């Protein structure tokens, strides 16, 4: 991968930790809130096919906890991530690097394995295990499934969210 501008204090760092914690704790509402519109649409489409319902009936899933479809729509993301990253405890042990800014609307963080207690380390002391990509939309940064897969492949890293089937 080409070198990108590094942002040492960027919202995506906290968002990556929040997203990983939501996956580990099976907090479907928070996972859903942190996903980009495109990622949500892909998952709604997947749900419509699996449930054999019209796409318009699967659209507009709400994260307020009152939408019974939410758990079923988010479950494949969690299952796939756990399949790649391991047990929930392993998700929570990943460290998050400074953000890399690809352009104004795309950034990513590197996920560091076996990071342990909170600490600051030089880049020469670690090797990234995964990459998590974010897109900027509606004035916030959100996890994007497609861009995570694309940038992970470019970096020759495994996709931390795996093959969501």
């Amino acid at each position: 991968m080409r070198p990108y501008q590094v942002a040492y204090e960027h919202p995506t760092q906290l968002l990556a930790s929040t997203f990983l914690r939501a996956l580990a704790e099976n907090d479907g509402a928070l996972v859903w809130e942190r996903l980009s519109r495109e990622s949500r649409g892909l998952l709604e489409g997947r749900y419509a096919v699996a449930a054999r319902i019209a796409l318009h009936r699967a659209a507009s899933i709400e994260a307020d906890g009152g939408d019974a479809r939410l758990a079923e729509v988010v479950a494949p993301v969690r299952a796939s991530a756990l399949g790649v990253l391991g047990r929930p405890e392993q998700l929570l042990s990943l460290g998050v690097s400074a953000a890399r800014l690809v352009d104004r609307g795309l950034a990513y963080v590197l996920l560091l394995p076996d990071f342990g207690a909170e600490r600051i380390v030089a880049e020469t002391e670690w090797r990234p295990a995964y990459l998590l990509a974010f897109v900027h939309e509606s004035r916030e940064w959100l996890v994007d499934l497609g861009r995570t897969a694309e940038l992970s492949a470019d970096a020759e890293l495994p996709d931390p969210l795996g093959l969501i089937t």
Side-chain angles (χ1 to χ4, degrees), residues 6-14 16-17 20 94-100 108-112 115 121 123 126-128 130-132 134:
V6 177
Y8 291 100
E9 294 184 26
H10 194 268
T12 55
Q13 294 165 287
L14 177 58
S17 295
L20 293 171
L94 290 169
V96 177
S97 77
R100 272 53 176 181
Y108 68 89
V109 297
L110 298 168
L111 303 178
L112 315 175
F115 198 74
V121 294
E123 287 191 26
W126 52 264
R127 176 161 168 72
Y130 306 99
L131 176 153
L132 192 59
F134 295 82

Side-chain angles (χ1 to χ4, degrees), residues 11-156:
T12 55
Q13 294 165 287
L14 177 58
L15 293 171
S17 295
T18 302
F19 185 73
L20 293 171
R21 180 171 302 282
L23 286 171
E25 295 175 351
N26 201 17
D27 184 344
L30 188 53
V31 169
W32 189 250
E33 286 177 5
R34 301 300 356 137
L35 289 172
S36 68
R37 285 190 307 262
E38 181 177 322
S39 297
R40 288 180 188 184
L42 290 169
L43 292 171
E44 287 170 336
R46 184 209 165 278
Y47 169 74
V49 169
R52 295 180 176 222
I53 59 174
L55 185 56
H56 70 275
R57 295 217 178 268
S60 302
I61 291 175
E62 296 297 325
D64 62 9
D67 195 326
R69 305 171 295 173
L70 181 63
E72 196 171 338
V73 171
V74 175
V77 176
R78 182 174 193 266
S80 185
L82 290 175
V84 173
L85 301 171
R87 299 181 322 273
E89 299 81 27
Q90 290 170 295
L91 272 160
L92 296 173
S93 72
L94 290 169
V96 177
S97 77
R100 272 53 176 181
L101 307 177
V102 177
D103 59 40
R104 296 180 83 192
L106 178 62
Y108 68 89
V109 297
L110 298 168
L111 303 178
L112 315 175
D114 304 320
F115 198 74
E118 184 175 330
R119 59 192 171 98
I120 297 175
V121 294
E123 287 191 26
T124 56
E125 296 179 43
W126 52 264
R127 176 161 168 72
Y130 306 99
L131 176 153
L132 192 59
F134 295 82
V135 293
H136 195 257
E137 59 185 42
S138 303
R139 297 186 178 146
E140 62 183 337
W141 289 96
L142 299 168
V143 175
D144 189 87
L145 302 176
R147 296 306 288 233
T148 294
E150 179 184 317
L151 290 175
S152 293
D154 289 349
E156 298 179 356

